[in-house]
Amino acid sequence: MSRAWNFSAGPAALPEDVLQRAQAELLDWNGARASVMEVSHRGKAFMEMAARAEADLRELLAIPPGYKVLFLQGGATQHFAQIPMNLCADGQRADYVVNGHWGEKAASEASFYADAHVAASSKADGYTSIPDRAKWELDPRAAYVHITTNETIHGVEMQGSPDVGDVPLIADMSSDILSHPLDVSKFGLIYAGAQKNIGPSGLVLMIVREDLLERHPRPLPRIFRYAEYAAADSMLNTPNTWGWYLAGLTFQWLKHQGGLAEMERRNRTKAELLYAAIDASGGYYGNRVQPAARSRMNVIFNLQDAVLEPVFVAEAEKAGLLALKGHRALGGIRASLYNAVPVEAAVALRDFMAEFRRTHG
Ligand code: PMP
């Protein structure tokens, strides 16, 4: 069996070493004579594994004191609603900076609990840029400012973290968490669905400043309250044990690879290879995103002759390059280059692009 290069946007490629380790441990995990999915989450072995995963994540991201790490469920989408539920009084303003589909959806879900105000949007240019910080209409009394650091569908990424004063900054980092070093202290809350850079779907990672957990804007069932998860070490009920375990293996893998600085170097190399190929193609391939906002995680492009796009995807698949079809909302091609996608995969895609252009030019 040979594995293909997998450019899926999510669920996405996992590090091969992680899959092999999970395979080797599947029937007998940690001497338990059962798999990690078949033992109690309250048992000593699982609790130790869970604590180690958190410690490794804290080390990778240099998470400062005063932050809780939560291993949750529900996908990032559930937290679009649950964040305002936990942090906003009824009708209180929450500012949303929208630079793509997911930010739009986050604001829309928040509107059930908050005055979700779009403080800036790049919708007018088709989400091909990050709204200029100087033009964000922020309210200093807002419950928080929400950003999406990487828009997975539109292929737009925010570099660095914006200064929003004393209002807590909340970031959906579903598709770029752990892809580069990060100054966590700039954020009040970071959250990410796991299925791109962390592990399998069904797990959501959250890093939240403790003072935000003290907000109680409305009565909520315990199962929706982040403070309850924090007090119970994310074991308020049965967690996604398999997801937590695979996330832990991924964190160990990241440490062995040289941590997030090394990931950033590789991610930059991969993305630059593809953008260079697009830009040097004389318009055969095109990407409309402003160069400073181009995502390193999701490289989107179109073919000048759109009729050839399905041919490109099908021939790529035959050549062992999977899941290059763009999101249905935009069409075109999308190559997702998460941490587990090696530089060799980007090289293979670049070479395929050159060959395709030569044969279908
Ligand atoms: N935010 C971003 C940036 C995403 O890419 C996605 C999924 N592709 C989501 C949120 C939604 O995640 P989930 O499917 O885990 O709800």
Side-chain angles (χ1 to χ4, degrees):
M1 187 217 42
S2 71
R3 279 169 59 80
W5 299 129
N6 182 0
F7 298 96
S8 176
L14 286 164
E16 205 165 296
D17 292 349
V18 166
L19 293 174
Q20 276 170 353
R21 167 107 182 253
Q23 182 183 44
E25 297 179 346
L26 190 61
L27 297 184
D28 179 10
W29 172 68
N30 200 29
R33 295 181 295 165
S35 79
V36 68
M37 287 178 282
E38 300 167 298
V39 299
S40 168
H41 59 293
R42 311 261 179 219
K44 187 165 174 282
F46 189 86
M47 300 274 274
E48 279 173 10
M49 184 287 295
R52 168 144 193 225
E54 177 175 334
D56 286 339
L57 178 76
R58 284 184 180 273
E59 187 183 327
L60 281 165
L61 279 169
I63 300 177
Y67 284 81
K68 292 282 189 202
V69 173
L70 307 180
F71 290 81
L72 305 171
Q73 304 186 54
T77 307
Q78 180 174 308
H79 298 276
F80 290 166
Q82 208 172 326
I83 287 168
M85 236 187 241
N86 276 268
L87 300 182
C88 276
D90 265 342
Q92 187 185 0
R93 174 155 159 168
D95 281 326
Y96 281 76
V97 176
V98 177
N99 39 275
H101 171 91
W102 295 108
E104 216 177 274
K105 204 162 164 196
S108 152
E109 291 296 295
S111 66
F112 288 88
Y113 293 96
D115 169 18
H117 176 252
V118 176
S121 168
S122 53
K123 191 169 190 157
D125 67 25
Y127 295 131
T128 55
S129 67
I130 301 292
D132 181 0
R133 171 67 190 87
K135 299 195 178 130
W136 296 9
E137 291 166 7
L138 299 181
D139 180 345
R141 286 158 310 166
Y144 56 78
V145 179
H146 182 283
I147 59 174
T148 310
T149 48
N150 184 69
E151 280 287 353
T152 323
I153 295 176
H154 290 89
V156 173
E157 189 171 12
M158 217 178 262
Q159 306 295 339
S161 44
D163 181 2
V164 295
D166 292 334
V167 178
L169 181 62
I170 294 190
D172 173 2
M173 293 195 186
S174 292
S175 51
D176 66 344
I177 194 163
L178 298 171
S179 68
H180 55 74
L182 186 71
D183 182 354
V184 173
S185 73
K186 296 276 198 305
F187 297 86
L189 185 155
I190 292 166
Y191 67 110
Q195 63 270 23
K196 293 125 180 7
N197 262 340
I198 298 169
S201 60
L203 177 76
V204 172
L205 195 67
M206 185 171 283
I207 302 165
V208 53
R209 220 172 54 207
E210 283 164 11
D211 61 286
L212 295 181
L213 296 174
E214 284 157 21
R215 290 190 188 177
H216 294 291
R218 63 173 52 74
L220 281 179
R222 294 181 64 217
I223 198 70
F224 294 135
R225 288 206 323 248
Y226 294 140
E228 297 284 348
Y229 284 90
D233 292 327
S234 303
M235 297 201 195
L236 193 54
N237 65 334
T238 317
N240 175 348
T241 55
W242 174 242
W244 200 326
Y245 159 77
L246 284 173
L249 293 186
T250 302
F251 301 154
Q252 284 177 36
W253 177 81
L254 285 169
K255 283 173 58 179
H256 285 139
Q257 299 303 304
L260 302 191
E262 174 60 12
M263 282 303 126
E264 180 172 43
R265 192 190 66 74
R266 291 184 201 172
N267 289 328
R268 187 175 288 149
T269 303
K270 289 180 279 179
E272 279 172 3
L273 269 170
L274 296 190
Y275 287 122
I278 293 165
D279 293 342
S281 71
Y284 188 84
Y285 299 113
N287 167 292
R288 288 176 50 236
V289 178
Q290 280 186 7
R294 282 173 161 184
S295 169
R296 291 184 214 154
M297 293 282 97
N298 312 98
V299 175
I300 64 168
F301 58 94
N302 284 91
L303 270 68
Q304 198 167 40
D305 180 358
V307 172
L308 284 176
E309 285 172 351
V311 182
F312 181 97
V313 172
E315 289 191 10
E317 190 170 324
K318 269 192 226 141
L321 307 165
L322 302 188
L324 285 163
K325 188 168 187 286
H327 189 273
R328 62 188 183 281
L330 284 191
I333 312 295
R334 171 171 55 173
S336 297
L337 304 172
Y338 303 123
N339 286 340
V341 176
V343 173
E344 281 167 277
V347 170
L349 175 55
R350 181 203 55 193
D351 293 347
F352 175 84
M353 288 166 72
E355 182 61 14
F356 188 87
R357 185 176 152 210
R358 199 181 63 73
T359 50
H360 299 78

